[in-house]
Amino acid sequence: MALLTFIGAIQEVTGSCYLLETHNGDRVLLECGMRQGRNERQGSRDNEASNRAAFPFDPKSLKAVVISHAHIDHSGLLPRLAKEGYKGPIYATESCCELLELMLMDSANIQEKDAEWENKWRARLGRPPISPIYTQDDAEKALTLRRGISYGSTVEVAHGVRVTFHNAGHILGSAIVEIEIHEQGLTRRLVFSGDLGNTCSPLMRTPTPLSRADVVLLESTYGDRDHRDNHETLQELAEILEQAQKDGGNVLIPAFAVGRTQDLIYYLGRFYQEGRLPQQMVFLDSPMAARANDIYLRHTGEFSDTDREYIRGTGTVKLSEWLPVLRTTQTPDESMAINRIKSGAIIIAGSGMCTGGRIVHHFKHNLWREECHVVFPGFQAQGTLGRAIVEGAESVRVLRQRIAVRAKIHTLGGFSAHAGQSQLIQWVSHFEHKPELYLIHGERAKMDVLQRTLLERLDWKANIPEPGDRIAI
């Protein structure tokens, strides 16, 4: 009998990690995510300690690793896994494998720079230096282990364990993971939703419905509510941009380099093509997002048919034609030069939850200005700077300075790349015979709401595991 251990993204939205152990002793790790922000269950303690803590398994004992998509909260500890001796294959979709190189090398660079910065302060305080969680060399080791698998193909990742990836519609290369376990003459099927996409998101296809499973792991990031209508959200964004232009300020948009940024560029391009974009300067201040754009453009076959045909219908074949006012910045000097612009600019920069990156530098120059606007197009995890601003903080600490929050703050939940409550329920309702259902990747309060709603609508009791819980598959 196979066993599944719930390790990460349990009653929280980051650090996705689950360990599958078969009857013959093979171990397969599903996800190897980094914890970001602060864990609601731990109060104010930073999650860096969790990312540095020993894995609850020996990395050398793993037969395979399976990754649903490239976001750091699902893949970010892969370099540490390789650093500690894992040498087996890392399975992901083909386009996810491309994005992993971008994401993990960037993350490793951040780890090195954060450690360097921290050690400068430690030296002044007489404290011993720290090492980065992992280095770029570690990331390169992990990247050599990638094995790209196309959607719909089945691969045996361990003895009697077969994995099939289905389109999750979340970001490029994102997958629903179907795992068949064949042992002792029986076949059991585990389905992990990964992060399911919002059916209103641009570019991506609708998540693939599945009908057969014995155990289902369902994400619950937005388990407590539905997203606002997409048309209304776009109209609100257009009105924000118009008002910002009248106010004489800039528009700051914190966005994940992979997924959210491409959605925003698509929408801003539509506004431009339709003559509805008042700003004449759109800055993409994220070298990683610019490289992600190139990867997206190499995989347009994964785009939804509707959006791909809309782009073709405008006669544009290049990003420079789709959104001609877009300017990408590569160097720190180019990034800093943006802050000389006081009006009429849209600035898209990472990180998406404002935990670091170039967006915090733009906050320093714009957050205290009443004429400026800040648009949050996605979920802000507990304990992040973005969450504090969204919840109405009058001032926040930015780059070791206290900054007043006087800019107008907007949240656009309709832009989320995650499925809303009704979409989650619709996707899981396709399963026959109500398999065992476990809610993961969500804050506890949101899980509780989704659990009650599943019971009311489908008469289906979902389980909410605790960290470290083990179940038989």
Side-chain angles (χ1 to χ4, degrees), residues 205 244 264 403:
R205 297 179 182 273
L264 287 165
I403 303 290

Side-chain angles (χ1 to χ4, degrees), residues 426-463:
Q426 181 182 31
W427 180 80
V428 82
S429 70
H430 287 93
F431 286 99
E432 301 167 354
H433 311 303
K434 294 178 183 172
E436 290 181 51
L437 179 59
Y438 293 85
L439 303 183
I440 44 90
H441 206 282
E443 294 173 354
R444 179 61 195 246
K446 294 172 173 56
M447 289 181 165
D448 288 340
V449 174
L450 181 58
Q451 184 186 50
R452 289 196 301 271
T453 308
L454 283 163
L455 193 60
E456 292 167 2
R457 293 191 192 176
L458 302 180
D459 192 29
W460 194 351
K461 175 64 185 295
N463 303 285

